[in-house]
Amino acid sequence: MNLQNELNKTSGFKNLELLAKQVVEGFIAGMHKSPFHGFSAEFAEHKIYNQGESTRHIDWKLFAKTDKLYTKRYDDETNLRCHIIIDSSSSMHYPKMTDFSIQHLNKIAFSALASASLMYILKKQRDAVGLSIYSDSYDYYAPEKGSERHHQMLLSQLSDMLVTKSIKKETETYQYLHEIAEKIHRRSMIFLFTDMFQSSIDQDKLFEALRHLKYNKHEVILFHVFDKEKELTFDFDNRPKRFVDVETGDYINLYADTIQENYHKAVSDYFETLKLKCAQYKIKYVEADINKDFNNILTTYMIERQKFV
């Protein structure tokens, strides 16, 4: 019995790899209307020849067709090391869903599909990618590698993450970011997917952990994943509701309109502080609204990769 196939029959994505390919190819098709026109060559098995490099690996047949110089890439060639970190605490599984598609995502599914899309690009470019997943424990770690077997293993972990029950899983994000930072020794590009909600209110510890990720000259990109309509603007109808903290089980009964203004101000202030701290620590902050498409994620990757290499 193929366990992964059985899991896919019951919930999660039916084919995460195929969906990631669709996201990336749709993005590349739209690049011809953007400032990245022509950058799609980075997705081939060649790279543009730079003056001063050895001419040993120039693809002369391709030069005859395109009148441009490209060098061949080989399977063991790695230009970039990337580590993806995903927060899988209970709050990331909001809103509660079982089956996912590109048009139907919660925070954890958005993070999984965005990560798979980045992995698809990295695979095409012969780059090495690693993965860390944490919730109320350090659930999974894989170092950076570039093989097909490794790629499939990470996809399997992303799929399993979606179907794993996450009941009252609190997290202290700062604790696991410190642990992950200790594991990544070689200079890497680090992508962090989290809603930045944690059970404690000690923001200083959280920001210090983000700064720790900058050690060893890593490039850090924080994808702040949240449901903007519900979690920022608090857009609920004004019928009496019970709001439950999915990580602690605490709840409160109220009419949404009675606290909407104060709630929006408190959350907006926190998000603004987060943005300022990221700027201070030279961490790229990217708003990742689960109700939007993935272009913001992939465009950010394109820009940061150009800076990194």
Side-chain angles (χ1 to χ4, degrees), residues 3-42:
L3 180 59
Q4 189 60 49
N5 286 344
E6 292 301 312
L7 285 171
N8 286 340
K9 288 178 183 178
T10 58
S11 60
F13 289 115
K14 300 303 180 185
N15 191 326
L16 180 57
E17 187 173 25
L18 179 60
L19 284 176
K21 182 179 179 182
Q22 290 174 359
V23 168
V24 173
E25 290 183 348
F27 173 72
I28 295 172
M31 284 168 55
H32 298 293
K33 301 176 183 178
S34 76
F36 294 103
H37 179 73
F39 194 77
S40 57
E42 286 291 323

Side-chain angles (χ1 to χ4, degrees), residues 13-79:
F13 289 115
K14 300 303 180 185
N15 191 326
L16 180 57
E17 187 173 25
L18 179 60
L19 284 176
K21 182 179 179 182
Q22 290 174 359
V23 168
V24 173
E25 290 183 348
F27 173 72
I28 295 172
M31 284 168 55
H32 298 293
K33 301 176 183 178
S34 76
F36 294 103
H37 179 73
F39 194 77
S40 57
E42 286 291 323
F43 293 86
E45 294 182 346
H46 299 80
K47 63 179 180 181
I48 297 174
Y49 172 77
N50 294 314
Q51 190 172 0
E53 290 183 342
S54 170
T55 59
R56 178 182 177 186
H57 299 303
I58 290 179
D59 188 333
W60 295 108
K61 290 183 179 179
L62 188 59
F63 172 73
K65 295 178 181 178
T66 64
D67 201 30
K68 294 181 180 179
L69 291 174
Y70 293 90
T71 54
K72 295 180 181 178
R73 284 184 171 176
Y74 297 93
D75 289 342
D76 60 350
E77 181 181 358
T78 296
N79 295 319

Side-chain angles (χ1 to χ4, degrees), residues 224-252:
H224 187 193
V225 185
F226 60 96
D227 184 333
K228 193 169 186 177
E229 180 180 308
K230 302 298 185 184
E231 294 182 318
L232 178 59
T233 62
F234 207 65
D235 186 11
F236 294 92
D237 62 63
N238 201 34
R239 291 180 296 177
K241 285 184 172 58
R242 171 168 292 184
F243 293 89
V244 181
D245 185 328
V246 293
E247 296 193 356
T248 66
D250 295 338
Y251 65 88
I252 184 172

Side-chain angles (χ1 to χ4, degrees), residues 9-246:
K9 288 178 183 178
T10 58
S11 60
F13 289 115
K14 300 303 180 185
N15 191 326
L16 180 57
E17 187 173 25
L18 179 60
L19 284 176
K21 182 179 179 182
Q22 290 174 359
V23 168
V24 173
E25 290 183 348
F27 173 72
I28 295 172
M31 284 168 55
H32 298 293
K33 301 176 183 178
S34 76
F36 294 103
H37 179 73
F39 194 77
S40 57
E42 286 291 323
F43 293 86
E45 294 182 346
H46 299 80
K47 63 179 180 181
I48 297 174
Y49 172 77
N50 294 314
Q51 190 172 0
E53 290 183 342
S54 170
T55 59
R56 178 182 177 186
H57 299 303
I58 290 179
D59 188 333
W60 295 108
K61 290 183 179 179
L62 188 59
F63 172 73
K65 295 178 181 178
T66 64
D67 201 30
K68 294 181 180 179
L69 291 174
Y70 293 90
T71 54
K72 295 180 181 178
R73 284 184 171 176
Y74 297 93
D75 289 342
D76 60 350
E77 181 181 358
T78 296
N79 295 319
L80 179 144
R81 300 175 68 83
C82 173
H83 198 89
I84 297 172
I85 305 171
I86 301 177
D87 173 2
S88 184
S89 58
S90 293
S91 65
M92 285 289 287
H93 289 256
Y94 173 84
K96 187 177 180 180
M97 297 179 183
T98 54
D99 297 301
F100 306 106
S101 66
I102 292 179
Q103 293 80 26
H104 186 65
L105 301 167
N106 60 9
K107 290 188 284 187
I108 197 67
F110 183 96
S111 301
L113 184 51
S115 297
S117 301
L118 291 170
M119 284 166 47
Y120 180 81
I121 299 174
L122 292 160
K123 173 186 172 184
K124 286 290 185 182
Q125 297 180 148
R126 303 294 194 267
D127 291 331
V129 61
L131 177 66
S132 286
I133 300 172
Y134 69 89
S135 55
D136 55 351
S137 61
Y138 196 162
D139 300 325
Y140 181 76
Y141 167 76
E144 299 80 21
K145 295 182 181 179
S147 68
E148 175 62 24
R149 180 181 179 184
H150 183 74
H151 179 80
Q152 292 300 322
M153 181 179 72
L154 298 190
L155 285 174
S156 177
Q157 285 296 325
L158 292 176
S159 295
D160 290 347
M161 176 182 69
L162 297 174
V163 299
T164 300
K165 298 295 182 183
S166 183
I167 301 174
K168 294 185 181 179
K169 285 192 174 184
E170 301 179 43
T171 190
E172 299 294 354
T173 292
Y174 68 86
Q175 175 184 342
Y176 301 110
L177 293 187
H178 280 304
E179 288 187 35
I180 294 166
E182 292 295 333
K183 285 181 175 289
I184 307 173
H185 301 293
R186 296 177 61 182
R187 182 172 180 252
S188 303
M189 181 177 287
I190 298 174
F191 297 111
L192 171 60
F193 290 87
T194 176
D195 57 12
M196 294 301 288
F197 293 134
Q198 57 179 11
S199 54
S200 77
I201 57 174
D202 193 339
Q203 295 180 13
D204 290 340
K205 287 185 177 180
L206 182 57
F207 297 142
E208 186 63 28
L210 287 174
R211 190 165 67 172
H212 191 181
L213 287 176
K214 287 290 292 184
Y215 287 2
N216 297 325
K217 299 182 179 180
H218 299 313
E219 191 68 27
V220 180
I221 300 97
L222 168 61
F223 291 121
H224 187 193
V225 185
F226 60 96
D227 184 333
K228 193 169 186 177
E229 180 180 308
K230 302 298 185 184
E231 294 182 318
L232 178 59
T233 62
F234 207 65
D235 186 11
F236 294 92
D237 62 63
N238 201 34
R239 291 180 296 177
K241 285 184 172 58
R242 171 168 292 184
F243 293 89
V244 181
D245 185 328
V246 293

